Amino acid sequence: MRHSCCICQYENLHNWVPICTSQRMYRFAGVPNEAYLSSNTSTNYVVSRYSFGWSETQPILPNQSVNKDLSPLAALVTSKSQNFSTASLVGDEKIGVLLLNLGGPETLEDVQPFLFNLFADPDIIRLPRLFRFLQKPLAQFISVVRAPKSKEGYASIGGGSPLRRITDAQAEELRKSLWEKNLPAKVYVGMRYWHPFTEEAIEQIKRDGITKLVVLPLYPQFSISTSGSSLRLLESIFREDEYLVNMQHTVIPSWYQREGYITAMANLIEKELQNFDSPEQVMIFFSAHGVPLAYVEEAGDPYKAEMEECVDLIMEELEKRKITNAYTLAYQSRVGPVEWLKPYTDETIIKLGQKGVKSLLAVPIR
Ligand SMILES: C=CC1=C(C)c2cc3[nH]c(cc4nc(cc5[nH]c(cc1n2)c(C)c5CCC(=O)O)C(CCC(=O)O)=C4C)c(C)c3C=C
Ligand SMILES: [Fe+2]
């Protein structure tokens, strides 16, 4: 869904960005660009973390409070069929996978409180320290102003976000696939701004007595505003909790470069191209959500670099299949007073039309 957002301030975001190593999670305060590994290094990172074992929690980030209606049992056990009593044990360990996502309003009434939660996130609207007390009043104001436009968008896709349903289905498929590989694990869903909230997932994880946890944000590419925000929240929860402090965990910060993902995207594109009369004439149009430019230029957000590499990898995979169509990457979100990543999707489409491009395959890519 195309959306535009309101007043966001993005300076000094690097102060909190969490990053993971094979042993521990670290915070790199005040070093925006160095805080991120290059994409290639990060590939190895993820693989090595996966291959060589578990990290321990080192909670380091400040608490943040969000207006959320927490109802523990609305929590997140994603699969009806998963029976945890004995089956999820590997040796003495109880394995859990926590899927992190953004969350979305399920009804039109949910839209304004959902927007409040989103804008109350200091990783979305960053205020100078002196003005932090304005975070919630400002979130209230922006959410009320934004709600009508946002509702229009959600009304046009059936009156609510499909994200919970889709994420639950992903969780169930992941659970089945792990069990088929003799990796009995329980899979949880934790959303950042709507039900089931991350806090609810964590409560369930504790109730289930999980001893090892894999944390997997469902954003292929890392951004400080998405995976970064969820991981920061998680760190603040871990820091306060003795059980979680002692629970081993590992984090997969991004996975846009993984073979399975690249192949799946290439498969989808290859299949869709067959629906055109002249498949080789089609412009492949990758449309990504985007972030404000300052995230990338001032806070060192790797999102743009990861997105570009992701598109390159997909196109390389297609080339191996002798598919050499022209392609473009553009960013669909554009917001009020700040500049977002360019080129913008709407402007790019117009330009392509003016250049005589007649057929377009739109590929949403997060
Ligand atoms: C104002 C700042 C915002 C930033 C920065 C931002 C980054 C960002 N978001 C996604 C993915 C999604 N965003 C979604 C909705 C949404 N996002 C914002 C604002 C920012 N996003 C708003 C205000 C909204 C609500 C819709 C609207 O009013 O337009 C969604 C949809 C969730 C759902 O309901 O299903 C997704 C998905 C990414 C990947 C990203 C940075 C890379
Ligand atoms: Fe967004």
Side-chain angles (χ1 to χ4, degrees):
M1 177 185 21
R2 177 173 189 274
H3 74 257
S4 58
C5 323
C6 306
I7 312 155
C8 306
Q9 292 222 343
Y10 307 105
E11 66 270 32
N12 299 325
L13 286 170
H14 55 272
N15 282 336
W16 54 263
V17 175
I19 194 164
C20 313
T21 75
S22 58
Q23 291 306 313
R24 289 181 185 279
M25 289 178 80
Y26 289 106
R27 175 185 176 213
F28 285 72
V31 280
N33 291 318
E34 294 84 337
Y36 290 106
L37 298 169
S38 75
S39 303
N40 285 339
T41 320
S42 140
T43 310
N44 297 332
Y45 229 40
V46 175
V47 172
S48 73
R49 198 160 346 103
Y50 237 160
S51 312
F52 302 126
W54 299 82
S55 59
E56 288 172 30
T57 311
Q58 189 186 30
I60 36 183
L61 295 170
N63 278 329
Q64 52 192 83
S65 61
V66 180
N67 173 23
K68 289 170 185 170
D69 167 26
L70 297 182
S71 51
L73 285 178
L76 352 179
V77 185
T78 50
S79 157
K80 289 165 216 110
S81 54
Q82 54 189 347
N83 177 352
F84 201 52
S85 51
T86 53
S88 298
L89 285 171
V90 178
D92 287 338
E93 304 291 353
K94 284 184 175 179
I95 313 287
V97 181
L98 173 59
L99 303 181
L100 298 172
N101 212 338
L102 189 125
E106 281 163 61
T107 67
L108 295 183
E109 289 74 58
D110 295 341
V111 170
Q112 186 272 324
F114 159 76
L115 290 175
F116 173 86
N117 289 340
L118 187 130
F119 292 121
D121 181 354
D123 299 327
I124 293 285
I125 297 187
R126 183 79 176 176
L127 295 172
R129 193 170 294 276
L130 211 59
F131 295 101
R132 291 275 160 84
F133 68 96
L134 287 175
Q135 187 88 42
K136 286 188 177 176
L138 197 57
Q140 181 64 24
F141 175 73
I142 299 173
S143 64
V144 168
V145 171
R146 171 82 195 163
K149 188 167 184 203
S150 195
K151 277 185 187 176
E152 237 177 73
Y154 284 109
S156 74
I157 56 163
S161 163
L163 205 60
R164 182 176 190 166
R165 177 175 45 76
I166 293 168
T167 310
D168 279 350
Q170 283 178 308
E172 175 58 8
E173 288 307 311
L174 175 63
R175 187 196 66 81
K176 281 199 258 172
S177 168
L178 290 172
W179 281 60
E180 277 160 19
K181 292 179 173 159
N182 261 340
L183 281 169
K186 197 163 180 183
V187 184
Y188 304 84
V189 172
M191 301 292 198
R192 184 67 183 83
Y193 306 117
W194 204 245
H195 302 277
F197 289 112
T198 307
E199 292 88 336
E200 299 171 61
I202 291 294
E203 282 311 310
Q204 190 63 50
I205 284 166
K206 286 166 64 179
R207 276 196 293 275
D208 289 343
I210 295 294
T211 59
K212 288 191 170 188
L213 185 68
V214 177
V215 179
L216 173 59
L218 288 180
Y219 308 93
Q221 308 83 9
F222 185 94
S223 165
I224 54 185
S225 59
T226 53
S227 309
S229 172
S230 278
L231 292 175
R232 180 165 110 116
L233 171 64
L234 215 53
E235 281 216 284
S236 71
I237 299 170
F238 272 48
R239 182 170 61 174
E240 301 297 315
D241 192 299
E242 205 182 325
Y243 177 96
L244 298 169
V245 163
N246 293 313
M247 181 182 63
Q248 287 181 296
H249 76 268
T250 189
V251 178
I252 301 168
S254 64
W255 40 273
Y256 66 92
Q257 71 293 66
R258 301 290 292 234
E259 199 188 323
Y261 173 70
I262 297 298
T263 307
M265 291 299 285
N267 289 349
L268 277 172
I269 293 169
E270 185 174 15
K271 182 167 167 256
E272 286 303 319
L273 283 174
Q274 301 318 311
N275 294 330
F276 290 86
D277 292 338
S278 310
E280 64 294 336
Q281 304 286 318
V282 176
M283 165 73 71
I284 303 173
F285 189 88
F286 293 96
S287 184
H289 184 290
V291 292
L293 194 59
Y295 272 80
V296 176
E297 292 194 343
E298 288 164 31
D301 195 330
Y303 175 78
K304 179 173 184 278
E306 293 196 359
M307 186 59 75
E308 287 172 358
E309 194 192 344
C310 178
V311 168
D312 286 348
L313 290 169
I314 294 169
M315 290 311 300
E316 275 169 29
E317 173 60 29
L318 287 169
E319 228 168 277
K320 284 187 205 151
R321 305 175 189 191
K322 311 273 180 260
I323 297 167
T324 54
N325 290 52
Y327 69 97
T328 306
L329 166 63
Y331 297 93
Q332 72 223 12
S333 294
R334 189 153 39 133
V335 183
V338 295
E339 193 180 344
W340 283 55
L341 288 181
K342 284 182 180 162
Y344 298 136
T345 290
D346 50 0
E347 292 179 359
T348 307
I349 289 177
I350 292 168
K351 277 190 195 143
L352 290 175
Q354 287 165 348
K355 279 188 193 159
V357 172
K358 293 274 180 273
S359 38
L360 214 61
L361 173 59
V363 183
I365 192 167
R366 271 270 181 167

